[in-house]
Amino acid sequence: MNRTAFCSAMLCCMLIATTVCLAQKKSPTHPQTKLSGIIQDNFADGAKQYKVLKATLPPDRFPKTYFPQTGKSETSNSGWWCSGFYPGTLLYLYEQTGDTALYNEAVRTLGILQKEQFNTGTHDLGFMMYCSFGNANRIKPSPEYKEILLNSAKSLSTRFNPTVGCIKSWDSKNPSDFLVIIDNMMNLELLFEETKATGDSSFYKIAVTHANTTMKNHFRPDYSSYHVLNYDVNTGGVKEKKTAQGFANESAWARGQAWGLYGYTVCYRETKDVRYLQQAKRIAEFILKNPNLPADKIPYWDFNAPDIPNALRDASAAAIMASALIELSQYTKGKEAKGYMQIAETIIRNLSTPTYKAAEGTNGGFILQHGVGHKPANSEVDVPLTYGDYYFIEACKRYKDLVK
Ligand code: GLY
């Protein structure tokens, strides 16, 4: 071998060794970097879309949805369960783009939302106040935000009943009814945070009691969950197991499964109780091994919808699942962790295609299309939803934070 050939061979070997070394440095659960470009585009495109959304909004209102057939938008007041998602998404997008117009719009709407800290008529305070003020306080901590979060946790706690061991979701005309929906698992994060912020363990105790009661009663043997449980307020016994937003009492409403997955993943993060990790993994198994989960991993609105494979997909459930699976992958190892991360990647990748991600200037300014709000009530069907956008951008952020 002449000198030039020898040098080329050496250079080649060094290059291969460096590549192998770099590849090995990544843990097997480390997400592939190739999704990063798509995610950066999602932040930039999301920021543009939310400026379109902002321009459509009356001053004292919050976005709710948009109807593509009529071109009409629907808005809500601050008491609607979704009011925190708009400022929350703006704050995530501000963090990723540095665009202060998004931050200023978020702060403007927080001013309208803040009165809900004293709202004791809803269980949705976690969604409303933690997705909004929780993110605002994380980005720029302030005594005012801390006070609002504490008051919100106090208001939410008033709905806890020790006989039932749950926070009441919905009020009922029958005074012995005590209605709890699986969605309520999402409100516990606010309570965990307030114990950390104040040292008051009563919030933590309420959260774990609610999680334990729900784990005992809300799930079927296959770890799918009912949507609504009706407890007897006097005895704590279960009177009914049923649905409100799913196809049938015994069906698996897709977003409900996503709320459970996300909720128990948070419970494990906050308590390190392995029973919650097991629960999250079993819910994930129900979802991911379900024969009715399509290959692109965007679920039908209900796993038992009668018209599968023609049933509508729910992009919001997919976004929640992706965000939860990214976190769950960090609490598991090897093949399991890699599997969760791969599904999350598939979901993000598919939600980022024109099938789900709206073209700039369309979709009333929302980022994702094709969410299903309340199919049985024929309300918000196949439309954009604020929580679809929020958890999609959160999933993108979580993914980006891991590949840093
Ligand atoms: N009830 C909250 C939801 O639609 O997921």
Side-chain angles (χ1 to χ4, degrees), residues 81 181 183 245 253 255 259 373 387:
W81 76 277
I181 62 174
D183 324 29
Q245 286 167 254
W253 173 51
R255 199 163 51 255
W259 293 143
Y387 38 100

Side-chain angles (χ1 to χ4, degrees), residues 13-34:
C13 285
M14 278 163 66
L15 209 66
I16 291 168
T18 312
T19 313
V20 167
C21 199
L22 281 176
Q24 279 173 347
K25 257 186 140 176
K26 284 184 177 179
S27 77
T29 62
H30 202 292
Q32 298 167 347
T33 49
K34 60 188 177 196

Side-chain angles (χ1 to χ4, degrees), residues 123 280 306:
H123 76 135

Side-chain angles (χ1 to χ4, degrees), residues 132-336:
S132 53
F133 287 96
N135 276 312
N137 191 56
R138 181 177 57 75
I139 294 169
K140 282 192 197 162
S142 88
E144 192 196 347
Y145 292 155
K146 287 183 180 40
E147 169 97 21
I148 290 169
L149 287 163
L150 177 57
N151 286 332
S152 303
K154 285 181 180 166
S155 298
L156 178 58
S157 300
T158 64
R159 298 181 69 82
F160 178 73
N161 180 303
T163 305
V164 175
C166 276
I167 298 162
K168 180 160 69 172
S169 294
W170 295 334
D171 297 333
S172 166
K173 283 191 193 119
N174 181 341
S176 82
D177 285 354
F178 191 99
L179 299 168
V180 181
I181 62 174
I182 189 67
D183 324 29
N184 208 340
M185 286 299 301
M186 296 296 286
N187 294 307
L188 306 184
E189 194 170 6
L190 169 66
L191 299 179
F192 285 125
E193 281 303 320
E194 285 317 292
T195 285
K196 285 192 282 188
T198 65
D200 180 348
S201 63
S202 62
F203 301 122
Y204 182 100
K205 285 180 188 151
I206 289 173
V208 296
T209 307
H210 182 97
N212 293 343
T213 307
T214 299
M215 196 154 67
K216 186 167 139 225
N217 297 322
H218 238 97
F219 289 84
R220 306 185 181 97
D222 64 0
Y223 292 95
S224 66
S225 55
Y226 289 92
H227 184 203
V228 187
L229 254 71
N230 185 7
Y231 291 92
D232 185 326
V233 75
N234 302 308
T235 66
V238 177
K239 295 202 287 184
E240 290 172 285
K241 298 185 176 192
K242 56 187 182 179
T243 199
Q245 286 167 254
F247 163 63
N249 289 342
E250 289 301 328
S251 75
W253 173 51
R255 199 163 51 255
Q257 314 314 305
W259 293 143
L261 174 68
Y262 193 117
Y264 281 99
T265 304
V266 168
C267 286
Y268 176 67
R269 181 216 299 155
E270 299 299 336
T271 64
K272 294 293 171 239
D273 184 334
V274 290
R275 290 176 309 145
Y276 299 143
L277 180 61
Q278 279 305 328
Q279 190 71 12
K281 285 172 23 168
R282 284 168 179 153
I283 299 168
E285 190 173 347
F286 171 82
I287 294 170
L288 303 181
K289 293 207 174 136
N290 198 296
N292 285 342
L293 182 67
D296 63 7
K297 312 300 176 196
I298 313 298
Y300 299 106
W301 70 278
D302 191 301
F303 282 95
N304 306 102
D307 48 345
I308 290 173
N310 298 317
L312 292 171
R313 308 294 191 90
D314 180 15
S316 77
I320 298 156
M321 286 172 190
S323 189
L325 288 170
I326 293 170
E327 180 166 13
L328 186 58
S329 78
Q330 301 307 297
Y331 307 142
T332 48
K333 291 197 190 96
K335 252 176 88 177
E336 198 171 37

Side-chain angles (χ1 to χ4, degrees), residues 24 41 66 71 82 118 129 134 147 201-202 220 291 326 351 396:
Q24 279 173 347
D41 288 349
Y66 169 81
C82 299
F118 301 114
M129 308 307 273
E147 169 97 21
S201 63
S202 62
R220 306 185 181 97
I326 293 170
L351 289 181
C396 291

